[in-house]
C-alpha cells in the first residue's frame, strides 16, 4: 500500500489534472479532498479534452475508483452536469467507479448568490471570487449551518434542517444585501431534482477508503488550486476557503489516521495566476499577451485570462516547502520555446534589500522581482520523449529550477496529451 498526493505549488492552474491522469495508472483510488467547482483540471487523452471541476481526474481510467471526500463542497447541479457531459462523451460513471462522501457539504443556489452579492459590495476591493459560492458555504460549514450530502437520503430530516438554516440565511440576504429571500420549497425541489440523481453514488467513503487501505490498495489524493491559495499559508485573503495543502489530504479525504508516502508538486515552467492578489513576477502588455497566447492561459472554470509572468522561484521554493513535496513535475516547458532568452525571478527586493524568502502577506505587495535571464532553446520540443534528447539549453533551464527550489524534478511535460511527457 502506497499513498500519493498531487498538489499545486503556486497559485493553481499548474497542470494537476494532466499529471493525475498520467500517474493515476499506478493507483487504485483517486480522491478529491477539498474545494468545489471553483477550479478546473484540464485533461487531454484518447477520449478528447476535458475540464473537470469536481470529478477526480482518474475517471478516465477503467480500473480506478474515484472519490469525492468529506472535505469537498458540492454544487449538485454542477456535479450532475459534469457527470452527464462525461457520460455523453463515452466515459463510464457508475457507483462502482465513482463515490461521494455522505459527509461532503452541499453548495446551494443561495451560496452562489451570496458570493456575487459580496463581490459586488466590495467593488474595487473584491477578492476575485469565481462566484461559485465556495467562500459562503465553507463559512457556513464552520458555523455548523450547512447540509451534508447524506441528508438528501432523509427527506423529513432534511426539511427540518434546511428550514432552520434558510430562515437564518435569509436574514443576511434580505437585511444586509437587500436581495430577495429564498423559499424553502424551491430549495427542497432543487434537492429532490438533483439529489435523486446523485443518491446512488452516496456512501460512507471513510469505510470504503479504510477497507481499501487494509486490502493493500494504493490511494492518490488530488488537490485543487495551489499552495499560495491555501487558506492558512497562502496570500490571505486572496486565497481559496479550504486547505489545498497535502497535509490536509487524509483529513479531507475521510481517512484522517492515514499518511502520505509521496507528494508530487506540480510547477508550471512559468508563472500564472487567476484572480486578485499579489503576483510579484507579473508581466503586462504585449509581453504578457504573447506568453498568454502561447500557453493558452485562460481559466478552465471561469474562462478568465490568466495573469502571467516568468517563473517565480521565491514563491515556488516556498510552495515546495509548504506542500512537503518529495518530487516535482514541471509542466508546459514547450510553451517557452519561442523565447530567445528566458527571464527568471530569483529573488525579491523588499525595502531595498534582496531576499530569497517568501514574505508575510502584508509585505508581498511591496516586493519587487529580481530577475536573471537564461538562454532559450528556440525550437519545438513537443516531440521529445527522452531527457537527453532535449536541447542543452532546455536541460539547463530544468536543472537551474531544480537547484533553486531544492526538490527533484522527476517529470517534464512538453504537451497537454498524456504521452507528451519526459521521465527523469
Amino acid at each position: 500500500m502506497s499513498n500519493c498526493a498531487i498538489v499545486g505549488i503556486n497559485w493553481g492552474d499548474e497542470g494537476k489534472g494532466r499529471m493525475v491522469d498520467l500517474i493515476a495508472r499506478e493507483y487504485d483510488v483517486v480522491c478529491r479532498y477539498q474545494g468545489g467547482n471553483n477550479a478546473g483540471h484540464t485533461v487531454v487523452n484518447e477520449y478528447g479534452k476535458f475540464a473537470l471541476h469536481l470529478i477526480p481526474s482518474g475517471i478516465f481510467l477503467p480500473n480506478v475508483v474515484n472519490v469525492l471526500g468529506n472535505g469537498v463542497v458540492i454544487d449538485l447541479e454542477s456535479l450532475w452536469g459534469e457527470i452527464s457531459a462525461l457520460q455523453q462523451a463515452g466515459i463510464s460513471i457508475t457507483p462502482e467507479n465513482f463515490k461521494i462522501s455522505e459527509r461532503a457539504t452541499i453548495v446551494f443556489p443561495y451560496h452562489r448568490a451570496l458570493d456575487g452579492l459580496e463581490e459586488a459590495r466590495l467593488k474595487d476591493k473584491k477578492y476575485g471570487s469565481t462566484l461559485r459560492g465556495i467562500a459562503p458555504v465553507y463559512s457556513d460549514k464552520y458555523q455548523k449551518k450547512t447540509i451534508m450530502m447524506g441528508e438528501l437520503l432523509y427527506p423529513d430530516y432534511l426539511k427540518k434542517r434546511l428550514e432552520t438554516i434558510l430562515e437564518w440565511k435569509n436574514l443576511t440576504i434580505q437585511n444586509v444585501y437587500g436581495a430577495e429571500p429564498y423559499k424553502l420549497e424551491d430549495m427542497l425541489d432543487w434537492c429532490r431534482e438533483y439529489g435523486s440523481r446523485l443518491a446512488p453514488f452516496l456512501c460512507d467513503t471513510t469505510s470504503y477508503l479504510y477497507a481499501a487501505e487494509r486490502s493493500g490498495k494504493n490511494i492518490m489524493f488530488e488537490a485543487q488550486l495551489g499552495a499560495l491559495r491555501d487558506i492558512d499559508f497562502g496570500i490571505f485573503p486572496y486565497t481559496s476557503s479550504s486547505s489545498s495543502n497535502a497535509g490536509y489530504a487524509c483529513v479531507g479525504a475521510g481517512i484522517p489516521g492515514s499518511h502520505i508516502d509521496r507528494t508530487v508538486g506540480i510547477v508550471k515552467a512559468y508563472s500564472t495566476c487567476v484572480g486578485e492578489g499579489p503576483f510579484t513576477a507579473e508581466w503586462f502588455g504585449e509581453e504578457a499577451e504573447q506568453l498568454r497566447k502561447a500557453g493558452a492561459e485562460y481559466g478552465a472554470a471561469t474562462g478568465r485570462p490568466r495573469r502571467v509572468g516568468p517563473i517565480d522561484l521565491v514563491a515556488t521554493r516556498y510552495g515546495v516547502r509548504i506542500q512537503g513535496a518529495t518530487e516535482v513535475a514541471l509542466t508546459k516547458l514547450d510553451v517557452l520555446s519561442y523565447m530567445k532568452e528566458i527571464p527568471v525571478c530569483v529573488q525579491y527586493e523588499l525595502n531595498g534589500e534582496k531576499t530569497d524568502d517568501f514574505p508575510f502577506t502584508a509585505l508581498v505587495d511591496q516586493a519587487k522581482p529580481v530577475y536573471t535571464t537564461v538562454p532559450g532553446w528556440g525550437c519545438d520540443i513537443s516531440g521529445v520523449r527522452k531527457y537527453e534528447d532535449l536541447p542543452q539549453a532546455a536541460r539547463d533551464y530544468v536543472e537551474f529550477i531544480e537547484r533553486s527550489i531544492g526538490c527533484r524534478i522527476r517529470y517534464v511535460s512538453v504537451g497537454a496529451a498524456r504521452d507528451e511527457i519526459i521521465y527523469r
Side-chain angles (χ1 to χ4, degrees):
M1 186 271 293
S2 176
N3 293 340
C4 170
I6 304 287
V7 296
I9 295 300
N10 297 128
W11 293 265
D13 305 307
E14 300 96 344
K16 292 180 291 299
R18 181 255 188 282
M19 292 307 301
V20 171
D21 180 61
L22 175 75
I23 301 173
R25 289 175 290 180
E26 305 167 25
Y27 292 83
D28 303 293
V29 181
V30 175
C31 185
R32 273 280 308 275
Y33 62 87
Q34 47 83 220
N37 65 327
N38 54 320
H41 290 175
T42 301
V43 175
V44 180
N45 55 32
E46 65 271 24
Y47 296 101
K49 182 177 180 179
F50 303 88
L52 303 178
H53 303 289
L54 277 165
I55 295 178
S57 303
I59 197 66
F60 304 100
L61 300 169
N63 298 318
V64 171
V65 176
N66 297 266
V67 174
L68 292 181
N70 53 273
V72 178
V73 292
I74 299 173
D75 184 320
L76 307 182
E77 189 174 349
S78 176
L79 177 56
W80 181 250
E82 195 169 326
I83 290 172
S84 300
L86 286 168
Q87 288 176 333
Q88 289 172 15
I91 313 303
S92 175
I93 303 180
T94 70
E96 283 66 50
N97 76 336
F98 180 54
K99 301 179 186 298
I100 304 171
S101 171
E102 60 192 6
R103 293 181 177 273
T105 297
I106 298 175
V107 181
F108 277 85
Y110 56 78
H111 290 121
R112 295 196 302 256
L114 281 164
D115 216 346
L117 290 167
E118 177 60 10
E119 284 286 282
R121 187 192 69 82
L122 288 169
K123 296 181 180 178
D124 59 342
K125 297 178 181 179
K126 62 185 179 180
Y127 296 159
S129 169
T130 59
L131 306 181
R132 304 300 171 91
I134 306 304
V137 76
Y138 272 116
S139 175
D140 286 1
K141 177 180 177 177
Y142 288 102
Q143 292 187 76
K144 296 164 284 187
K145 295 184 185 294
T146 48
I147 301 293
M148 293 192 291
M149 290 292 292
E151 295 178 57
L152 295 171
L153 304 177
Y154 305 95
D156 292 340
Y157 180 81
L158 171 65
K159 183 177 180 179
K160 290 178 182 178
R161 290 256 297 120
L162 187 55
E163 184 175 23
T164 301
I165 290 171
L166 197 57
E167 181 182 1
W168 167 76
K169 206 67 194 170
N170 277 333
L171 291 173
T172 301
I173 292 170
Q174 291 178 278
N175 299 325
V176 174
Y177 296 106
E180 288 295 314
Y182 279 75
K183 297 177 181 178
L184 176 62
E185 275 309 312
D186 290 344
M187 293 299 92
L188 289 173
D189 286 345
W190 185 80
C191 287
R192 281 190 286 265
E193 179 180 356
Y194 295 103
S196 61
R197 301 173 188 179
L198 296 171
F201 303 102
L202 298 180
C203 68
D204 180 353
T205 53
T206 292
S207 294
Y208 168 76
L209 292 170
Y210 179 73
E213 278 200 323
R214 296 272 292 182
S215 65
K217 292 187 183 298
N218 300 323
I219 299 174
M220 173 179 286
F221 303 102
E222 179 180 9
Q224 177 211 64
L225 297 170
L228 298 178
R229 296 299 190 195
D230 183 88
I231 186 68
D232 288 309
F233 298 100
I235 47 173
F236 190 86
Y238 305 100
T239 66
S240 190
S241 298
S242 61
S243 177
S244 52
N245 195 295
Y248 181 70
C250 295
V251 175
I255 42 174
S258 190
H259 64 279
I260 295 171
D261 304 287
R262 173 189 180 198
T263 299
V264 182
I266 316 301
V267 177
K268 201 174 279 184
Y270 50 95
S271 295
T272 64
C273 170
V274 171
E276 307 295 326
F279 185 39
T280 303
E282 184 171 9
W283 273 354
F284 300 92
E286 180 57 33
E287 196 172 37
E289 190 57 26
Q290 191 174 9
L291 178 55
R292 188 178 294 114
K293 287 181 178 177
E297 294 299 345
Y298 301 90
T302 63
R304 288 185 293 184
R306 293 180 182 133
R307 300 158 68 189
V308 299
I311 189 168
D312 184 334
L313 295 179
V314 179
T316 301
R317 190 162 46 242
Y318 174 77
V320 165
R321 183 168 72 245
I322 291 301
Q323 294 286 21
T326 57
E327 58 200 79
V328 160
L330 186 70
T331 61
K332 289 199 166 186
L333 184 66
D334 55 302
V335 171
L336 300 181
S337 296
Y338 75 91
M339 293 186 182
K340 293 181 180 179
E341 286 192 325
I342 303 174
V344 178
C345 175
V346 291
Q347 289 180 306
Y348 288 171
E349 183 180 314
L350 270 172
N351 300 320
E353 296 186 3
K354 293 178 180 179
T355 179
D356 296 322
D357 297 324
F358 192 77
F360 179 64
T361 298
L363 300 175
V364 179
D365 248 343
Q366 303 172 31
K368 298 178 181 178
V370 177
Y371 291 116
T372 190
T373 58
V374 298
W377 45 93
C379 63
D380 181 15
I381 60 172
S382 61
V384 177
R385 297 294 178 269
K386 295 182 180 179
Y387 187 68
E388 58 268 26
D389 293 338
L390 281 174
Q392 183 63 52
R395 283 180 278 152
D396 289 345
Y397 184 71
V398 171
E399 290 162 27
F400 179 78
I401 294 171
E402 185 176 67
R403 290 192 300 273
S404 299
I405 64 177
C407 189
R408 172 73 170 167
I409 296 176
R410 185 176 178 189
Y411 305 91
V412 179
S413 165
V414 292
R418 187 184 286 166
D419 67 335
E420 292 177 337
I421 196 79
I422 296 169
Y423 297 89
R424 290 184 73 223

